[in-house]
Amino acid sequence: METVIARITSDQSENNRIYEQASEVLRNGGLVAFPTETVYGLGANALDAKAASKIYQAKGRPSDNPLIVHIADMQDLFRLASEVSGQALKLAEAFWPGPLTMILKKNAAVPETTTGGLDTVAVRMPSHQAAERLIRTSGIYIAAPSANLSGKPSPTKASHVISDMAGRIDMIIADDTVEIGLESTIVDMSGQVPAILRPGFITQQQLSQVLGEVAVDPAVTQEMGAAAVPRAPGMKYKHYAPEAELVIVQGQEQAVVDRINQMAEEKMAAGAKVGVLAAEETCGCYKADVVKALGKRADEAAAAKNLFAALREFDSCGVDYIYSEPFPTDNVGQAVMNRLIKAAGHTIVDAGIGEKA
Ligand code: TXA
Ligand code: MG
């Protein structure tokens, strides 16, 4: 299949033409990748089971891993969900449009292909202009998981989408204005107590300010230990993973630096290529083939924005091992570490407090 790659520029009449063309593709049951404020999405008509099934094919995604339905107006929520509680409405009013996905009991109109066989539906109203325009111009609800091949890091740049999806989908809207860099926070509003199924830019603390009690799915909190079965099916798969073997090294700062340098040296002596993922402050301390900084250590938003691109860049450099520092978890950093730990397949080495202490 030939994939049309259309770039958004300052030429507004050309942009209009691009959204018209993409809308036509979606209305005809085709696939269009488009930017959102979190990551790129791979879109299809959410109410057309055949169109939605093409998403699973193009990504190589397991059919029990449901899609998120993207909307542009609050009324759309009532067309997709059979029950919208007062709490759910409050949450939508507080954070939509924005990086929040709500799980609600689904309406009969939503095919099970879109919901991975579940009786609930995931709904999100994105704030990115390209996403909003595509939903409005096409006049449909757009089912869209992240636009990566299944298992790979989510795409935050058009080049990532092109390398994963060219030849597999009808069209890519290229516009490198993805702001956040990590997928939306998912909150299950279908049960008694709201529960976070996936951490994201909107934190538990922000959610509690609106909702009061908010639970966190044990699969999110127990990720350092034995895994519980997550309620967001997508969270059970090996995910966000680069091809290289990724290990997180935690402990006191100097101990981490020493341990990473020691492991890197051993691997390089054995002929392997090694990458290190660090904060700007310490990236000069490492001896490895490729060293990448995500930003200043305290800048959690920069870490979120740069993490997936960095993992992909390590792959392009052909590194065999990646050793990563841990990153702070006060705000969106929680979601950063959630993705990093998954990408590492839970491999965490403790460097302790070091020899001098
Ligand atoms: O920011 C985002 O969420 C991006 C953009 C494109 O909107 N979307 C995204 O979708 O990253 P992705 O690839 O994460 O797939 C949807 C996630 C999966 O983890 C899936 O298991 C979960 O949402 N999900 C969807 N419907 C669900 C449901 N009914 N119950 C529980 N989890 C659900
Ligand atoms: Mg995904």
Side-chain angles (χ1 to χ4, degrees):
M1 173 190 294
E2 203 194 316
T3 303
V4 175
I5 298 168
R7 199 162 280 280
I8 299 299
T9 63
S10 55
D11 180 345
Q12 292 312 327
S13 65
E14 172 59 8
N15 292 347
N16 290 342
R17 197 200 59 72
I18 290 171
Y19 290 113
E20 285 298 341
Q21 185 183 355
S23 296
E24 189 69 20
V25 170
L26 289 174
R27 285 191 295 257
N28 290 331
L31 301 184
V32 177
F34 60 96
T36 81
E37 70 277 24
T38 57
V39 300
Y40 273 84
L42 176 57
N45 183 348
L47 301 188
D48 175 348
K50 204 166 148 223
S53 74
K54 290 184 191 165
I55 292 179
Y56 295 88
Q57 256 173 18
K59 282 180 60 95
R61 184 179 178 99
S63 60
D64 69 346
N65 189 2
L67 315 174
I68 295 173
V69 183
H70 295 70
I71 61 173
D73 286 301
M74 205 59 96
Q75 304 93 281
D76 299 340
L77 186 54
F78 300 92
R79 306 210 173 88
L80 296 166
S82 61
E83 286 168 30
V84 182
S85 64
Q87 289 274 74
L89 261 186
K90 275 209 308 210
L91 206 57
E93 273 156 17
F95 297 111
W96 279 357
L100 173 83
T101 297
M102 288 199 293
I103 309 292
L104 300 159
K105 289 258 182 297
K106 86 172 185 72
N107 239 330
V110 185
E112 289 203 346
T113 313
T114 297
T115 65
L118 299 174
D119 62 1
T120 50
V121 60
V123 188
R124 174 161 113 80
M125 188 191 291
S127 61
H128 194 288
Q129 206 205 354
E132 191 197 340
R133 275 190 75 175
L134 189 59
I135 300 165
R136 289 196 191 282
T137 311
S138 63
I140 63 175
Y141 310 131
I142 303 180
S146 49
N148 51 286
L149 287 172
S150 194
K152 286 234 191 181
S154 295
T156 55
K157 295 182 177 171
S159 60
H160 303 157
V161 183
I162 293 167
S163 92
D164 280 15
M165 290 296 159
R168 306 176 77 93
I169 64 176
D170 299 282
M171 187 166 173
I172 296 169
I173 299 179
D175 181 6
D176 282 328
T177 51
V178 166
E179 265 301 307
I180 295 172
L182 292 181
E183 309 85 347
S184 60
T185 305
I186 301 182
V187 185
D188 188 347
M189 298 300 292
S190 69
Q192 286 298 316
V193 178
I196 298 174
L197 307 192
R198 179 174 72 184
F201 187 77
I202 293 170
T203 60
Q204 182 179 13
Q205 199 193 2
Q206 285 174 289
L207 295 169
S208 307
Q209 278 166 8
V210 177
L211 294 175
E213 190 192 354
V214 180
V216 182
D217 187 31
V220 175
T221 47
Q222 290 171 15
E223 59 201 353
M224 296 279 191
V229 176
R231 274 152 66 189
M235 297 301 273
K236 76 173 178 261
Y237 295 105
K238 186 168 155 68
H239 224 108
Y240 316 111
E243 275 149 38
E245 193 180 309
L246 170 61
V247 175
I248 301 166
V249 181
Q250 66 180 20
Q252 186 267 336
E253 187 175 290
Q254 188 58 44
V256 167
V257 169
D258 293 343
R259 176 65 74 87
I260 288 180
N261 276 332
Q262 178 206 336
M263 294 197 297
E265 192 183 332
E266 280 168 19
K267 294 296 183 196
M268 290 190 294
K273 198 166 177 187
V274 175
V276 173
L277 192 58
E280 231 168 77
E281 289 89 335
T282 39
C283 74
C285 306
Y286 293 105
K287 293 190 198 75
D289 296 293
V290 188
V291 181
K292 287 195 180 296
L294 291 185
K296 291 240 186 293
R297 184 172 308 285
D299 191 348
E300 295 183 21
K305 187 163 182 170
N306 298 324
L307 175 67
F308 287 149
L311 294 179
R312 281 179 179 259
E313 284 162 20
F314 280 124
D315 278 346
S316 332
C317 300
V319 304
D320 305 294
Y321 296 90
I322 304 168
Y323 299 118
S324 177
E325 296 180 345
F327 295 89
T329 56
D330 294 328
N331 298 298
V332 69
Q334 251 177 51
V336 172
M337 282 309 288
N338 167 269
R339 307 306 194 273
L340 191 62
I341 289 166
K342 272 190 195 307
H346 297 259
T347 313
I348 301 165
V349 168
D350 198 340
I353 53 170
E355 281 161 20
K356 286 177 223 130

